[in-house]
Amino acid sequence: VTGYLDDCTCDVETIDTFNNNKLFPRLNKLLESDYFRHYKVNLKKPCPFWNDSSHCGIRDCAVKPCAPNEVPGGTESASFKYSEEASKHAGECEEAKRLGAVNESLSKETQRAMLQWTQHEDSSDNFCEADDVQSPDAEYVDLLLNPERYTGYKGPEAWKIWNSIYEENCFKPRTIERPLNPLASGRGNSFYSWLEGLCVEKRAFYKLISGLHASINIHLSARYLLQDTWLGTTWGHNITEFQHRFDEVLTQGEGSKRLKNLYFLYLIELRAMSKVLPFFERPGFQLFTGNKNRDTKTKNQLLEILHLTK
């Protein structure tokens, strides 16, 4: 993918140079900090849109939460999807063992620190209300131990989710079919012809969703389970998987559009980050972990990135 992006006065080469040389190294460093690597999430929340019949119940997918006195929100309850009972039905997806598992390892020191973090957040005005973090089922996980990568989640259930995202968030008549299958002939041309006729705001909305989709597909292709034996697991780039989703020929021209939409999403995120800069620049704002020197350093790292985006 090269050249200018549609609806933008920016080109791919400029974005690559800025991201690879300036932003990405600093962002990676920031994400290693305690404040950003630990994330609170409710793994047991059921799907609100339909009865989830996905068979995640493999042996290592059964999540064993920390005890209530170790991490705030710890609980012994579990939905069927993550329960020990579900793990007995592992035959269907044994090939995907360990892929969907969440590594909830936290040191004793970190677990104690989380209590202090929660107390601080509860006593201050939050910038936003994160979804479901107040649930008693919510638990902290270390994102460095749980990178975005291939999980083995595929098939009708995965397609159902993506189809719903597109169908419910794109401004299109029912007569226009979005090309779910890149190899399905005759669909893509009418869809993109219709898309180009939309106003820029509606067209941008579709590009953001497509860019998110592309980002996830790139992550699972870049961190793919290449080998799983008793000697250990090997993760790495799966070129075939990447080509299946983005190759110009295999996708009948759709792949390059998906990649350009990823760049479009990147620019929108940069603009959002630059707009929020004044909020984080306030002297009273802090990324609290209880270690004053470390918190100051983390805030300075964040501000450096935000000024860079501006």
Side-chain angles (χ1 to χ4, degrees), residues 12-57:
V12 168
E13 289 76 13
T14 300
I15 299 174
D16 280 340
T17 301
F18 169 75
N19 179 72
N20 297 343
N21 298 332
K22 294 183 178 181
L23 188 92
F24 185 67
R26 292 175 172 84
L27 182 61
N28 263 354
K29 192 67 178 176
L30 179 67
L31 297 180
E32 294 174 357
S33 66
D34 286 342
Y35 184 86
F36 285 102
R37 68 185 287 183
H38 295 110
Y39 183 74
K40 198 174 187 181
V41 61
N42 181 6
L43 294 168
K44 304 171 183 65
K45 187 176 182 179
C47 175
F49 304 109
W50 55 74
N51 291 329
D52 189 0
S53 60
S54 59
H55 297 285
C56 184

Side-chain angles (χ1 to χ4, degrees), residues 22-256:
K22 294 183 178 181
L23 188 92
F24 185 67
R26 292 175 172 84
L27 182 61
N28 263 354
K29 192 67 178 176
L30 179 67
L31 297 180
E32 294 174 357
S33 66
D34 286 342
Y35 184 86
F36 285 102
R37 68 185 287 183
H38 295 110
Y39 183 74
K40 198 174 187 181
V41 61
N42 181 6
L43 294 168
K44 304 171 183 65
K45 187 176 182 179
C47 175
F49 304 109
W50 55 74
N51 291 329
D52 189 0
S53 60
S54 59
H55 297 285
C56 184
I58 57 179
R59 184 186 60 211
D60 295 287
C61 192
V63 175
K64 183 180 179 181
C66 298
N69 63 337
E70 292 179 333
V71 178
T75 178
E76 294 180 356
S77 65
S79 69
F80 175 79
K81 184 174 181 179
Y82 294 104
S83 67
E84 292 295 338
E85 181 185 353
S87 69
K88 296 177 182 177
H89 303 279
E92 298 180 11
C93 41
E94 188 64 25
E95 64 181 32
K97 66 179 181 180
R98 289 198 296 275
L99 293 182
V102 175
N103 187 333
E104 292 190 316
S105 303
L106 293 177
S107 68
K108 294 292 183 182
E109 181 182 1
T110 300
Q111 292 173 14
R112 288 192 295 268
M114 295 301 166
L115 290 171
Q116 190 178 9
W117 293 17
T118 302
Q119 292 167 0
H120 171 82
E121 293 295 333
D122 289 344
S123 64
S124 63
D125 294 327
N126 291 319
F127 173 57
C128 65
E129 182 68 26
D131 181 44
D132 213 33
V133 297
Q134 303 302 329
S135 167
D137 288 337
E139 303 166 271
Y140 281 98
V141 297
D142 188 336
L143 296 182
L144 294 185
L145 299 177
N146 297 278
E148 186 176 2
R149 62 187 180 185
Y150 177 70
T151 64
Y153 191 63
K154 56 186 177 181
E157 286 296 327
W159 281 117
K160 183 179 180 181
I161 292 172
W162 279 115
N163 189 59
S164 296
I165 291 173
Y166 281 101
E167 293 299 319
E168 295 179 18
N169 293 284
C170 288
F171 310 90
K172 71 176 189 64
R174 293 186 178 275
T175 55
I176 301 293
E177 287 192 79
R178 185 183 66 83
L180 271 175
N181 183 353
L183 298 180
S185 60
R187 295 184 178 182
N189 291 335
S190 61
F191 174 78
Y192 285 109
S193 298
W194 164 85
L195 184 65
E196 292 306 312
L198 287 180
C199 65
V200 64
E201 291 83 3
K202 291 184 177 180
R203 191 164 61 242
F205 206 94
Y206 164 78
K207 288 183 176 182
L208 295 179
I209 298 174
S210 175
L212 170 65
H213 197 174
S215 173
I216 293 173
N217 283 339
I218 290 172
H219 274 93
L220 70 87
S221 301
R223 291 178 172 175
Y224 202 92
L225 183 63
L226 301 177
Q227 189 175 23
D228 187 7
T229 66
W230 64 275
L231 292 174
T233 56
T234 302
W235 298 84
H237 292 181
N238 187 327
I239 305 300
T240 301
E241 190 71 32
F242 181 84
Q243 290 174 328
H244 174 70
R245 299 166 187 269
F246 297 105
D247 180 82
E248 184 79 11
V249 176
L250 294 178
T251 63
Q252 298 185 348
E254 188 180 345
S256 60

